[in-house]
Amino acid sequence: MDNAQDFGVLLDASCALVLVETNEEDRSLALIRHQAEMRGYPVWTWSTARGLTRDGGSPQYGTDTVHQALSAIGSLPGPGVFVLADGHHALADQTVVRRVKELTATFDAERTLVMTAPRHDVPPELVSTAHVWRLRPPGEGEIRSLVARTLEVLAARGFDIRLTDAGRDQLVASLQGLAVSQAERLLHRVTVRDGILHEGDLPALRLAKAQIFADDGVLELIETASTPLDRIGGLDALKEWLEIRGRVFLHPREGLPHPRGVLLTGVPGCGKSLAAKALAAAWGLPLVLLDPARLFDRYVGGSEEKLRGSLDAIEAMSPAVLWIDEVEKGFAAGSESDGGVTSRMLGTFLRWLQERPDGVFVVATANDVHALPPEFLRRGRFDEIFFVDLPSPQDRADILTTHLELRSLPVGEFGIEELTVATAGFSGAEIEAAIVGGMYRSLGGEGHLDHELLLAEIQRTVPLSRVRAEDITALRHWARDRAVRA
């Protein structure tokens, strides 16, 4: 059911008081007018700037204040839909709350009072009578009509539109979740930038869309342009899995369920976070980080509200990749010292994982998988659970070569085979740190890193596999029958 039909049901159900939550006042008013007109109801609107006005008529004298407007509405005969703008300000006045309650109690089946606001804090006195209705983002049909109109305007202005039918479908999908005005502005922006609109503009459009929703302080948009999947050493099974799933995620196929997500667990520093960045880059999608630590709020109910708001925002960003780093820190098992906040947040998040719409691919990373509750690991939450172990000898050779090349160091002058043996038990991050550390040490000599300096730096490094050998053994034991080796 779309927005228009949904609001029409409220009118047919004789809801006397509807509190509309929207940031698109003009769009919501157009929808209300259309539904009222279909039923033969006149529409009256009120704002502090214009007073009470019937559509097609002049403002009523002496209705500048909300009290005067409510008195006038009470004296008007017959059916009608009465829309008061900025209802959140009006309902902050207890006298207005009482007048609204008494007025709507007198309404018959063909009279409805509507109060609009970006967000409503419903007074206790109105909880039993008010229906809070949120204007959802425009649906596919509305966005498709907007795209058609906007492309006609752009073409008439001389811009070059080079979209296939499939490209136009992807454009519509990429704009969903935005307000009509936001979608139109983004479409103009990506076209005007170089004078051409083509499928190559879609990643930039998706990134700009994600930025709009990531400005709430909880979600963070992550740069992925410099993280190609093929430059990650090792993780061959994970790379192949992601490559196949990516085809279906970007181009759904009938009969195949939409890819939903993956849980990456394993030894710290072995590429879990890097894989999330590379995945988003390979798929041409924005990567949005949800840091569980940012969800916790000092006020009762604040943490849960932040989580719900973040999940709503990521749905609106789709198609996108949601990265939850060190997920065990936000949804750990057995945490009751916080008054049950973590348990409630876990329940909300698990329901969302199970029921979330297509278009959001979740990459959750965990270093301490034992801290996660069993229900988090149940099949259906994620498509697959991968265990990222310490790199093999071949993986270490690839990682060494990659990091030397990235720093424009002559790979041929380094004994990769000897360095591979020396880095046994090292994670990818520790190999990179050894190269960086060797480069700093070389500044005290001839100013460049050579094989001997790098080997000495490696030999000075004590890897995590030795410092926390028992923990890594326990991780490997857990993953033996529960996860796929990446």
Side-chain angles (χ1 to χ4, degrees):
M1 186 179 296
D2 63 17
N3 281 302
Q5 293 172 314
D6 196 21
F7 189 82
V9 168
L10 297 181
L11 294 181
D12 292 337
S14 305
C15 290
L17 176 60
V18 180
L19 304 181
V20 173
E21 294 188 341
T22 177
N23 287 309
E24 299 179 86
E25 193 175 86
D26 291 342
R27 178 169 163 249
S28 63
L29 191 54
L31 180 151
I32 292 168
R33 284 180 169 135
H34 178 66
Q35 291 300 308
E37 181 182 347
M38 290 176 60
R39 292 157 178 78
Y41 301 159
V43 175
W44 295 75
T45 59
W46 175 87
S47 71
T48 55
R50 297 192 64 215
L52 186 65
T53 307
R54 177 168 176 166
D55 281 0
S58 301
Q60 300 291 301
Y61 177 76
T63 57
D64 295 339
T65 70
V66 67
H67 291 283
Q68 292 170 328
L70 292 171
S71 295
I73 292 169
S75 65
L76 290 170
V81 177
F82 309 95
V83 184
L84 307 186
D86 302 324
H88 56 314
H89 295 313
L91 292 179
D93 184 337
Q94 288 301 310
T95 307
V96 171
V97 173
R98 169 50 58 181
R99 297 195 70 165
V100 167
K101 184 174 182 177
E102 292 181 354
L103 173 64
T104 53
T106 68
F107 278 7
D108 59 25
E110 297 182 328
R111 290 167 68 83
T112 299
L113 178 66
V114 178
M115 305 183 79
T116 66
R119 191 175 187 86
H120 284 289
D121 185 9
V122 184
E125 298 89 339
L126 299 179
V127 167
S128 61
T129 57
H131 183 97
V132 179
W133 185 79
R134 179 179 297 176
L135 180 68
R136 297 188 300 275
E140 181 182 344
E142 201 171 346
I143 290 292
R144 193 171 293 278
S145 297
L146 168 71
V147 167
R149 292 195 307 270
T150 306
L151 294 188
E152 287 181 7
V153 171
L154 289 169
R157 291 174 56 191
F159 292 103
D160 191 2
I161 309 299
R162 302 180 187 175
L163 283 175
T164 63
D165 290 342
R168 188 174 292 224
D169 289 342
Q170 290 184 50
L171 178 63
V172 170
S174 297
L175 290 171
Q176 285 187 262
L178 291 170
V180 170
S181 57
Q182 291 173 325
E184 187 174 10
R185 283 197 301 271
L186 278 188
L187 201 47
H188 277 275
R189 192 165 85 187
V190 297
T191 306
V192 170
R193 184 176 52 185
D194 60 1
I196 304 172
L197 180 63
H198 51 85
E199 292 179 31
D201 290 320
L202 292 177
L205 186 144
R206 290 167 182 157
L207 197 64
K209 170 187 169 182
Q211 186 64 64
I212 291 172
F213 292 101
D215 288 338
D216 63 353
V218 175
L219 299 175
E220 180 182 351
L221 197 61
I222 302 298
E223 175 62 46
T224 63
S226 61
T227 317
L229 193 60
D230 58 3
R231 294 305 300 268
I232 299 178
L235 308 183
D236 293 334
L238 175 61
K239 289 178 187 175
E240 181 181 2
W241 189 92
L242 292 175
E243 196 275 330
I244 294 172
R245 297 286 171 138
R247 294 182 216 156
V248 179
F249 189 89
L250 298 173
H251 305 285
R253 301 188 185 186
E254 188 175 351
L256 277 179
H258 210 74
R260 299 176 62 75
V262 62
L263 173 63
L264 305 179
T265 183
V267 182
C270 288
K272 298 186 294 295
S273 300
L274 189 60
K277 297 177 183 179
L279 159 66
W283 291 7
L285 298 176
L287 178 66
V288 184
L289 173 66
L290 172 60
D291 183 354
R294 298 183 185 179
L295 293 172
F296 291 94
D297 193 275
R298 70 180 72 180
Y299 300 108
V300 175
S303 301
E304 297 91 322
E305 183 63 26
K306 280 186 176 182
L307 176 60
R308 285 191 293 268
S310 297
L311 297 179
D312 287 344
I314 191 63
E315 285 184 18
M317 291 184 204
S318 66
V321 177
L322 174 63
W323 173 28
I324 308 174
D325 196 26
E326 298 188 57
V327 66
E328 72 274 21
K329 292 186 177 179
F331 305 104
S335 178
E336 296 296 336
S337 60
D338 56 7
V341 172
T342 301
S343 297
R344 291 194 296 273
M345 290 174 63
L346 174 63
T348 298
F349 184 65
L350 290 179
R351 282 193 300 275
W352 181 81
L353 274 180
Q354 194 70 32
E355 301 169 3
R356 69 188 184 276
D358 295 338
V360 179
F361 190 86
V362 178
V363 180
T365 63
N367 290 327
D368 183 8
V369 73
H370 298 96
L372 290 172
E375 57 268 33
F376 196 92
L377 305 173
R378 181 175 69 78
R379 285 289 180 179
R381 312 290 191 201
F382 298 95
D383 296 326
E384 193 59 88
I385 300 174
F386 281 96
F387 178 73
V388 182
D389 204 347
L390 291 167
S392 67
Q394 182 58 55
D395 294 340
R396 295 199 303 277
D398 293 341
I399 292 168
L400 281 161
T401 300
T402 296
H403 283 294
L404 290 171
E405 288 177 345
L406 285 174
R407 291 161 178 80
S408 301
L409 293 168
V411 178
E413 296 179 12
F414 290 82
I416 297 297
E417 186 174 342
E418 183 180 5
L419 296 175
T420 298
V421 174
T423 54
F426 278 52
S427 67
E430 288 166 337
I431 292 174
E432 180 183 11
I435 293 174
V436 172
M439 292 177 69
Y440 272 106
R441 285 185 180 274
S442 69
L443 295 177
E446 297 179 8
H448 68 275
L449 179 66
D450 58 19
H451 175 84
E452 287 72 23
L453 275 174
L454 179 53
L455 182 61
E457 184 67 23
I458 290 170
Q459 291 170 342
R460 275 191 289 265
T461 303
V462 181
L464 190 68
S465 61
R466 287 183 228 156
V467 175
R468 296 180 56 187
E470 297 81 4
D471 293 338
I472 291 175
T473 299
L475 271 176
R476 286 172 168 162
H477 179 75
W478 177 92
R480 189 175 302 151
D481 301 316
R482 297 180 179 89
V484 176
R485 186 181 174 92

